[in-house]
Amino acid sequence: MSDGPGAPAQLLADPPPHLLAHVDRVGAALEGVGRLGVAFSGGVDSSVLLALALRILGRERVLAVTGVSPSLAARDRGRAHRVAEHLGARLLEVATHEGDREDYRRNGPDRCFFCKDELFSMISEELAREHLLDAVAYGENADDARRPDRPGAGAATQHRVLRPLADAGLGKAEVRELGRWLGVPTADAPASPCLASRIPHHSEVTPEKLGQVEQAEDAVLALGVRDVRVRHHGDIARIEVRPDDIATVLGARDELVAACRRLGFRHVTVDLAGLQSGVFTLEALGLRGGDR
């Protein structure tokens, strides 16, 4: 295993053996890969995968690739650049056009498949040739692999995209622990799925709706709230935050109502159930979302 140029430097002097075992298992999942492209959002999973790839393969053999479209919030795009720079990774942006696909816009429970299919097609068909990539990997972890609301995994399978974290048996807790050891700045960051996840299934995804969601969430985050989803129900904005942040949101009621109405919403609500993960897809599958 090579630390390689650009590998993270913020490592514990004497890491616990179980962390080194995790690294070894991810290394085994990448065995035989010469040059790797990492589908990179800047979130915890893809950031830890990128940090591990840099450590195992070396900087010159790893390329981070971020798909840019209206479904990527500007705050997440900026985060991806900051994390890649922190890790010493080369980052390449590629414009994706999932919004041109009718199957994506119609927003069924399988929407994520078409988004990931677009991204993986761009990487495997164009960037792989240009940058001589032997393989592409993405940050699915072992917990994600067991969830029923991850249709994007099917696109990864079709494009033969590697999932080293899941193959190494690393769940979210192990990924976060590795991230802290590797000095990944997003190791403890909340999840940040794409903006389209805020639109109920079978309600069309449009750039206008995505823009409304992004700006409404920015207004909530400006209050110091760490995690938020603004669900788009036509002329209703339904704000989900963690239960201990509800009081903060209610305390800024007038400010948030004004901000959301400027964006085109007529009504603004706060969901007392708190923030829920994958709620629309889980409901479409006859299951309930749970607090993240």
Side-chain angles (χ1 to χ4, degrees):
M1 181 175 66
S2 170
D3 287 346
Q10 302 89 339
L11 302 179
L12 299 176
D14 297 306
H18 72 280
L19 289 184
L20 292 180
H22 293 338
V23 176
D24 288 341
R25 288 200 297 275
V26 173
L30 294 175
E31 186 174 359
V33 175
R35 295 176 63 84
L36 179 71
V38 175
F40 182 65
S41 68
V44 55
D45 296 315
S46 65
S47 295
V48 170
L49 174 59
L50 179 60
L52 288 169
L54 292 167
R55 178 173 171 81
I56 293 164
L57 300 175
R59 181 179 184 275
E60 297 305 317
R61 295 167 58 189
V62 177
L63 177 67
V65 182
T66 298
V68 177
S69 75
S71 69
L72 178 68
R75 59 181 179 270
D76 291 336
R77 184 178 183 180
R79 178 192 62 185
H81 280 270
R82 291 190 298 273
V83 174
E85 182 178 4
H86 177 85
L87 296 177
R90 294 176 298 152
L91 184 147
L92 179 67
E93 289 188 343
V94 57
T96 59
H97 304 283
E98 61 271 17
D100 293 342
R101 299 187 177 203
E102 182 179 354
D103 286 329
Y104 172 85
R105 293 195 307 273
R106 69 177 173 80
N107 195 21
D110 58 351
R111 180 201 66 245
C112 190
F113 172 89
F114 303 103
C115 182
K116 286 290 192 292
D117 183 60
E118 171 75 10
L119 175 62
F120 295 147
S121 294
M122 295 291 292
I123 298 176
S124 61
E125 294 174 10
E126 296 184 17
L127 298 184
R129 289 193 300 269
E130 182 179 351
H131 295 274
L132 305 176
L133 303 177
D134 299 307
V136 176
Y138 84 125
E140 179 185 80
N141 64 57
D143 293 335
D144 291 336
R146 291 188 286 268
R147 288 185 59 156
D149 60 329
R150 292 292 187 268
T157 299
Q158 287 193 13
H159 288 275
R160 299 182 179 179
V161 174
L162 304 179
R163 35 174 72 89
L165 301 178
D167 288 346
L170 304 182
K172 197 72 170 188
E174 291 84 8
V175 170
R176 289 191 186 279
E177 184 182 18
L178 267 173
R180 288 189 287 271
W181 172 58
L182 291 165
V184 173
T186 52
D188 292 304
S192 183
C194 79
L195 295 171
S197 67
R198 280 61 150 178
I199 302 173
H201 288 307
H202 308 298
S203 176
E204 184 180 11
V205 176
T206 67
E208 293 74 23
K209 290 179 182 178
L210 297 173
Q212 286 177 298
V213 167
E214 178 177 7
Q215 293 178 69
E217 290 186 349
D218 285 345
V220 178
L221 291 169
L223 302 174
V225 172
R226 190 163 179 251
D227 202 3
V228 61
R229 305 287 183 274
V230 174
R231 308 293 182 184
H232 193 299
H233 298 275
D235 60 0
I236 300 173
R238 176 165 60 89
I239 300 172
E240 294 181 8
V241 294
R242 296 179 186 273
D244 55 359
D245 284 324
I246 290 177
T248 298
V249 171
L250 293 177
R253 183 191 64 179
D254 293 343
E255 177 184 343
L256 291 178
V257 168
C260 289
R261 284 180 175 169
R262 284 195 298 271
L263 294 170
F265 294 108
R266 291 183 60 197
H267 307 287
V268 185
T269 70
V270 177
D271 194 325
L272 298 182
L275 193 151
Q276 300 176 78
S277 170
V279 59
F280 290 140
T281 301
L282 289 168
E283 287 177 351
L285 295 172
L287 305 169
R288 293 183 62 185
D291 291 347
R292 191 178 285 282

